[in-house]
C-alpha cells in the first residue's frame, strides 16, 4: 500500500519529513509540501486539489498535516464509496491530535490513526460509534475476514441495532472460531429450512426468538435470510488465467463472465487472480485485476510444475512456457492448495480456471476488545 503525507507550512514540512521516515518502515510513503516550504526529498506542490485528485486513486492512506477544513475541502470532490475511498487522517503541525477522518473501518483509518499516534505521541481522535462503545463492527469484521458486504447500507442497520442494545443474529455456512461479541446470537437452519437461534434463551419473546436483523455469511444468494439481512460473501476463489499475448482486459473480462455464469458463480467471490510469471506485465490481465480490485499473483514455471494434482496437460503449452498447464495450476497454487472448482475453460486464446479454499471465519469479543 502507498501512503502520502501533505503539509502546508514550514513547521508542517518538518513534521511531514519526520512522520514519513517513520512510516517508511511499514509501507511506501511520499511526502508532499507546499512549494514554498518543501524540504529535500519532498515533492513540492502548488495546488492541493489537483494533488489530492491524483493521490486519491493511487494511495491507500492520505495524511494531511494542517487544518481539518483544508483536508475536508480537498477530498470532498473525490469521495466515492466506503469500500473504495482511501483512509484519510488529519494531524495538526504540533502533533497534538491526529484525527481519523475517512474510511475508519474498511480503509483501516482508525488503525492507522492509532499507529500514527504511537509514532508521534499525538492523541488519537476516533469518532466511530462502534469503536467508542466497544460494539461489534460488521464492516471491520468483514474486512478482517475477507468478506464482501453485499448491501453496504445494511452496515448502519446492524450497527444501529447493536448500539441500541438489540440482538443481531448470525448464520454462517463457513466454519468459524472465536467468541461471538456481545448481542450476537448464533443461528442455524432447521429441518424446515428456516432459521432459528442455536440456543433459544429462556423467556425470550416471539414465536421463535429469532432476531429481526441478522448477518448471513454465505456464497450463494439463496441462503436463508433474516427479515433484515446483512449478507457477507466470502472471497474464497482464486482465478487462474492463461492467455495469448495482447488479449485485452475487455476480452478476458467477457470470457470470465461467461465462465462464471456457466458455473453459477459470483464474481464478488474472487479473492485474487494468478498466472505464470511470463504474464506478470500482461496488460489485459492487469487491467482486469484492477477493475475487479483483486491482487494479481504470478509464479514461475517450476513453481507451477510442482503443484500436486491432476491437471489437463497440453504439450503445446509446455513447449511454449515450460509447464503443461497454467490456469489450473495457478488457481490451485494461488489459493494455497484449494480445491479446483472450475476446470480449464478455453476460448479465443484465453484459458480460465478457478480454485476454492474455504476460509475460517474469526470472531473477536467486542470488536477485538477496543
Amino acid at each position: 500500500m502507498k501512503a502520502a503525507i501533505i503539509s502546508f507550512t514550514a513547521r508542517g514540512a518538518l513534521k511531514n519529513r519526520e512522520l514519513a521516515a517513520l512510516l517508511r518502515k511499514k509501507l511506501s510513503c511520499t511526502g508532499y509540501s507546499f512549494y514554498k516550504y518543501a524540504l529535500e526529498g519532498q515533492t513540492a506542490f502548488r495546488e492541493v486539489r489537483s494533488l489530492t485528485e491524483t493521490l486519491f486513486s493511487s494511495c491507500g492512506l492520505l495524511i494531511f498535516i494542517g487544518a481539518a477544513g483544508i483536508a475536508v475541502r480537498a477530498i470532498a470532490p473525490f469521495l466515492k464509496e466506503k469500500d473504495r475511498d482511501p483512509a484519510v487522517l488529519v494531524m495538526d503541525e504540533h502533533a497534538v491530535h491526529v484525527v481519523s477522518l475517512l474510511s475508519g473501518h474498511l480503509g483501516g483509518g482508525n488503525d492507522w490513526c492509532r499507529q500514527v499516534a504511537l509514532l508521534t505521541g499525538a492523541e488519537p481522535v476516533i469518532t466511530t460509534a462502534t469503536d467508542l462503545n466497544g460494539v461489534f463492527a460488521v464492516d471491520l469484521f468483514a474486512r478482517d475476514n475477507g468478506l464482501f458486504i453485499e448491501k453496504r447500507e445494511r452496515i448502519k442497520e446492524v450497527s444501529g441495532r447493536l448500539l441500541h442494545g438489540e440482538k443481531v443474529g448470525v448464520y454462517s455456512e463457513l466454519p468459524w472460531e472465536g467468541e461471538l461479541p456481545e448481542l450476537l446470537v448464533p443461528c442455524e437452519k432447521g429441518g424446515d429450512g428456516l432459521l432459528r437461534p442455536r440456543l433459544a434463551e429462556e423467556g425470550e419473546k416471539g414465536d421463535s426468538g429469532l432476531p429481526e436483523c441478522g448477518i448471513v455469511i454465505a456464497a450463494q444468494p439463496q441462503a436463508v435470510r433474516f427479515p433484515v439481512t446483512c449478507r457477507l460473501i466470502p472471497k474464497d476463489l482464486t482465478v487462474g488465467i492463461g492467455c495469448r499475448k495482447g488479449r485485452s482486459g475487455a476480452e478476458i473480462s467477457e470470457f470470465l463472465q461467461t465462465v462464471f455464469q456457466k458455473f453459477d458463480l459470483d464474481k464478488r467471490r474472487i479473492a485474487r487472480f494468478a498466472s505464470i510469471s511470463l504474464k506478470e506485465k500482461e496488460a489485459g490481465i492487469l487491467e482486469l485485476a484492477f477493475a475487479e480490485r483483486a491482487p494479481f499473483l504470478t509464479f514461475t514455471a517450476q513453481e507451477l510444475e510442482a503443484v500436486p494434482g491432476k491437471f489437463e496437460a497440453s504439450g503445446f503449452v509446455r513447449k511454449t512456457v515450460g509447464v503443461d498447464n497454467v490456469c489450473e495450476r495457478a488457481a490451485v497454487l494461488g489459493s494455497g492448495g484449494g480445491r479446483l472448482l472450475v476446470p480449464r475453460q478455453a476460448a479465443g486464446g484465453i484459458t480460465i480456471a478457478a480454485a476454492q479454499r474455504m476460509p475460517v471465519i474469526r470472531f473477536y469479543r467486542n470488536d477485538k476488545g477496543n
Side-chain angles (χ1 to χ4, degrees):
M1 185 177 76
K2 295 181 179 179
I5 305 174
I6 305 167
S7 57
F8 307 92
T9 65
R11 186 184 294 274
L14 291 171
K15 186 58 65 177
N16 187 329
R17 183 173 62 184
E18 175 188 334
L19 180 56
L22 293 169
L23 285 178
R24 287 190 188 110
K25 299 176 182 179
K26 300 176 178 289
L27 75 175
S28 173
C29 182
T30 303
Y32 297 85
S33 288
F34 190 58
Y35 74 99
K36 290 183 179 181
Y37 311 109
L39 303 174
E40 184 178 356
Q42 295 179 335
T43 301
F45 71 92
R46 289 177 177 267
E47 209 281 306
V48 68
R49 188 184 188 280
S50 58
L51 173 65
T52 304
E53 182 176 14
T54 300
L55 298 177
F56 217 73
S57 59
S58 61
C59 293
L61 172 65
L62 301 183
I63 304 175
F64 289 85
I65 299 179
I70 296 176
V72 170
R73 285 190 290 271
I75 67 174
F78 313 114
L79 299 179
K80 295 175 183 176
E81 299 287 347
K82 290 185 65 162
D83 61 343
R84 298 177 62 188
D85 294 333
V88 178
L89 309 182
V90 180
M91 186 172 73
D92 62 273
E93 60 184 30
H94 291 278
V96 176
H97 296 98
V98 57
V99 182
S100 178
L101 189 64
L102 184 70
S103 292
H105 282 167
L106 292 181
N110 292 354
D111 291 338
W112 280 112
C113 182
R114 296 184 184 97
Q115 291 192 51
V116 170
L118 288 173
L119 292 172
T120 62
E123 180 72 21
V125 179
I126 296 173
T127 59
T128 313
T130 50
D131 290 69
L132 294 173
N133 291 279
V135 170
F136 171 80
V138 66
D139 49 353
L140 186 58
F141 166 77
R143 187 199 72 182
D144 289 348
N145 283 281
L147 302 169
F148 179 87
I149 304 170
E150 185 176 43
K151 296 180 179 180
R152 287 187 296 275
E153 64 271 17
R154 296 292 169 85
I155 297 173
K156 293 182 180 179
E157 186 75 33
V158 172
S159 297
R161 290 173 184 266
L162 291 174
L163 287 167
H164 283 85
E166 297 182 32
K167 293 179 180 178
V168 170
V170 177
Y171 171 78
S172 178
E173 291 187 343
L174 278 63
W176 62 272
E177 59 185 24
E179 185 179 2
L180 283 183
E182 189 177 0
L183 297 178
L184 292 191
V185 178
C187 298
E188 59 187 2
K189 184 163 57 175
D192 55 4
L194 300 177
L195 282 177
R196 63 189 179 201
R198 186 175 298 172
L199 294 174
E201 297 184 11
E202 187 176 349
E204 193 167 21
K205 296 181 179 180
D207 294 335
S208 65
L210 185 71
E212 181 183 10
C213 178
I215 299 165
V216 171
I217 305 171
Q220 296 300 326
Q222 61 266 30
V224 291
R225 304 187 68 84
F226 293 88
V228 179
T229 299
C230 178
R231 179 176 166 231
L232 306 180
I233 303 171
K235 288 182 171 291
D236 59 349
L237 300 180
T238 296
V239 176
I241 299 179
C243 68
R244 293 178 190 163
K245 186 176 180 180
R247 288 295 180 265
S248 70
E251 290 175 312
I252 302 174
S253 178
E254 182 178 357
F255 183 49
L256 175 67
Q257 182 66 35
T258 299
V259 171
F260 268 50
Q261 287 178 347
K262 176 181 177 181
F263 287 86
D264 192 26
L265 298 174
D266 189 330
K267 287 204 303 179
R268 294 172 296 185
R269 293 173 60 186
I270 297 175
R272 63 193 65 83
F273 294 95
S275 189
I276 193 168
S277 55
L278 291 172
K279 295 298 178 181
E280 184 177 11
K281 297 183 179 179
E282 188 68 39
I285 303 178
L286 292 171
E287 183 182 336
L288 171 67
F290 180 80
E292 298 294 339
R293 287 181 281 172
F296 174 42
L297 310 180
T298 58
F299 306 99
T300 66
Q302 292 75 19
E303 289 173 321
L304 294 176
E305 184 71 35
V307 177
K310 294 183 179 180
F311 304 101
E312 183 178 336
S314 167
F316 173 79
V317 174
R318 178 179 288 281
K319 183 178 179 180
T320 304
V321 300
V323 63
D324 62 1
N325 183 300
V326 170
C327 64
E328 291 182 346
R329 290 180 178 273
V332 172
L333 183 56
S335 68
R339 175 175 66 97
L340 188 63
L341 190 64
V342 177
R344 179 181 179 274
Q345 307 292 302
I350 303 168
T351 60
I352 283 178
Q356 178 191 31
R357 182 158 189 178
M358 189 76 73
V360 176
I361 304 302
R362 175 67 179 170
F363 282 96
Y364 295 89
R365 186 72 173 177
N366 286 338
D367 203 6
K368 295 187 179 181
N370 293 327

